[in-house]
Amino acid sequence: MSTAPWQREWQQAIRHPASLLTRLGLDPSLHGPADRARRLFELRVPEAYLQRIEPGNPHDPLLRQVLPVDAEFDDHPGFDNDPVGDHASLAGGGVIHKYRGRALLIATGACAINCRYCFRRHFPYADANASSGQWAQAIDYLRGDPSISEVILSGGDPLSLNDRRLGALGESLAAIPHLRRLRVHSRLPVVLPSRVDEALLAWLTGTRLTPVMVLHANHPNELDERVAERLQRLTAHGVRLYNQTVLLRGVNDRADTLEALGERLFDLGVQPYYLHLLDRVRGAAHFEVDTATATSIMRSLAARTPGYLLPRLVREVAGEPWKVPIDWTRPQPA
Ligand SMILES: *Cc1c(COP(=O)(O)O)cnc(C)c1O
Ligand code: SF4
């Protein structure tokens, strides 16, 4: 199979702090920390994402999501390697079946970008992802439980799989009679929009399963014209689009930022869905927004936004049968 343009872009992603800092005209003093912390979790930024970062601004909200920093070495109580209990819920073959009716399949551990707050930093993907020859086991699991009507492809990023592998997976899933929906959780349309090409559109709409896509955008600056154009293609093909956001300190922890994000998403045909409190993963404590601040941001947002643009503020709690909604309507003790 020939290499698609998105695959070339992926291969050419920036991986060295020196090239990132030079490209953005940033202070070389950021290099030491970035070089240390990338040993905890590699640096990876695709060109399409880099172009949306403001040159010369060390506080840029997109830069903050990808630049390794010394704070990642700090240990904080409660921040550990498996904050949402996923290792315990692995049903085999990379399936995580925590909620009734929906099963999540870790289709691959790979991703086009490395977000510093990602729980993937520590996930044992080598054992857990369904692509290491284990899809058969995952498919068996899904086939064996008629209560499952929706399969969620996740990762890593499932859209980092090539078209051939996606095609094979989609066919196996479509052959399971009780499945109705194919839901794809992906940040690629945002960070590597060229992934939304004709082949992907054909794949999404090419089986009897109803395609649903849940994007991951955290800031309105992430949604530039290239992203807009690809999202419009998805909606034109009838793919329903939702978005989840992680509430991140120094990135989007202001009502006006979240308001602008919601407005922009709406313009692009995307429904805001979840606003997640940070999963407490080791090395990401400097991104945490405490619950009192989060609920206060939600109250400001609710006071200036149509109700249908309000995301649901949730936290993932191990052992709960849903993502736990946080009541933001009353001030919370700090
Ligand atoms: C988030 C998640 C889902 C989907 O939950 P929804 O409330 O349907 O969006 C399903 N399975 C797992 C393991 C999840 O983490
Ligand atoms: S896009 Fe998602 S899976 Fe990939 S690094 Fe970022 S948060 Fe993690």
Side-chain angles (χ1 to χ4, degrees):
M1 183 181 277
S2 64
T3 312
W6 70 270
Q7 288 173 304
R8 270 194 300 281
E9 267 188 62
W10 184 19
Q11 286 156 6
Q12 290 160 5
I14 295 214
R15 289 156 178 270
H16 295 286
S19 20
L20 183 71
L21 298 174
T22 309
R23 281 288 307 278
L24 292 170
L26 289 166
D27 192 330
S29 69
L30 297 168
H31 184 268
D35 203 42
R36 280 192 289 281
R38 81 182 167 110
R39 285 170 212 159
L40 297 173
F41 185 47
E42 255 187 274
L43 168 87
R44 186 199 291 269
V45 189
E47 179 67 28
Y49 195 78
L50 181 97
Q51 285 173 5
R52 304 168 209 156
I53 300 177
E54 187 192 352
N57 177 9
H59 306 295
D60 181 277
L62 277 55
L63 177 70
R64 188 168 159 81
Q65 295 179 61
V66 295
L67 180 68
V69 294
D70 271 339
E72 295 175 33
F73 287 98
D74 298 347
D75 262 330
H76 289 262
F79 282 76
D80 61 37
N81 291 352
D82 181 22
V84 295
D86 275 349
H87 301 183
S89 311
L90 271 172
V95 175
I96 302 179
H97 192 188
K98 283 208 287 206
Y99 304 145
R100 193 180 187 285
R102 291 143 291 164
L104 184 147
L105 175 62
I106 297 184
T108 173
C111 188
I113 190 167
N114 283 343
C115 309
R116 308 313 298 172
Y117 50 85
C118 184
F119 61 87
R120 245 175 101 237
R121 298 175 68 101
H122 310 292
F123 204 84
Y125 278 101
D127 324 322
N129 87 70
S131 64
S132 40
Q134 298 182 73
W135 275 350
Q137 201 187 333
I139 299 293
D140 281 349
Y141 181 87
L142 299 170
R143 194 187 295 114
D145 186 343
S147 76
I148 300 172
S149 56
E150 178 173 290
V151 60
I152 301 172
L153 302 187
S154 183
D157 201 305
L159 299 189
S160 59
L161 292 170
N162 67 31
D163 296 327
R164 183 179 48 79
R165 305 208 66 204
L166 281 183
L169 182 57
E171 270 174 40
S172 309
L173 293 171
I176 299 174
H178 49 265
L179 287 184
R180 302 162 71 106
R181 286 182 302 281
L182 174 65
R183 171 160 146 193
V184 177
H185 280 193
S186 178
R187 187 150 156 76
L188 258 70
V190 173
V191 302
L192 192 71
S194 55
R195 177 63 183 105
V196 183
D197 56 12
E198 287 306 315
L200 185 75
L201 293 165
W203 174 73
L204 278 168
T205 55
T207 71
R208 64 172 188 85
L209 302 170
T210 304
V212 180
M213 195 176 278
V214 179
L215 306 168
H216 172 188
N218 297 323
H219 194 282
N221 293 1
E222 292 179 346
L223 303 169
D224 68 357
E225 280 314 303
R226 281 188 66 197
V227 175
E229 192 250 324
R230 302 294 168 138
L231 296 186
Q232 273 147 11
R233 283 203 224 171
L234 284 164
T235 42
H237 280 75
V239 179
R240 266 169 282 182
L241 300 178
Y242 296 87
N243 182 65
Q244 47 187 344
T245 297
V246 184
L247 186 58
L248 298 165
R249 200 201 309 167
V251 174
N252 58 11
D253 54 341
R254 294 170 51 117
D256 57 359
T257 307
L258 294 173
E259 179 189 17
L261 175 61
E263 294 280 355
R264 179 72 174 148
L265 288 167
F266 181 78
D267 287 346
L268 302 179
V270 186
Q271 173 70 46
Y273 184 28
Y274 283 134
L275 179 61
H276 293 269
L277 294 181
L278 184 76
D279 291 333
R280 307 188 92 197
V281 58
R282 186 188 305 274
H286 56 293
F287 284 113
E288 186 168 58
V289 177
D290 63 67
T291 310
T293 307
T295 57
S296 146
I297 293 169
M298 277 302 291
R299 285 192 301 282
S300 312
L301 184 62
R304 57 204 289 174
T305 298
Y308 59 85
L309 288 186
L310 265 193
R312 297 161 214 198
L313 181 67
V314 293
R315 182 200 294 284
E316 190 97 30
V317 179
E320 294 291 337
W322 44 58
K323 299 193 199 295
V324 177
I326 311 286
D327 178 10
W328 46 263
T329 57
R330 301 270 171 276
Q332 298 224 351

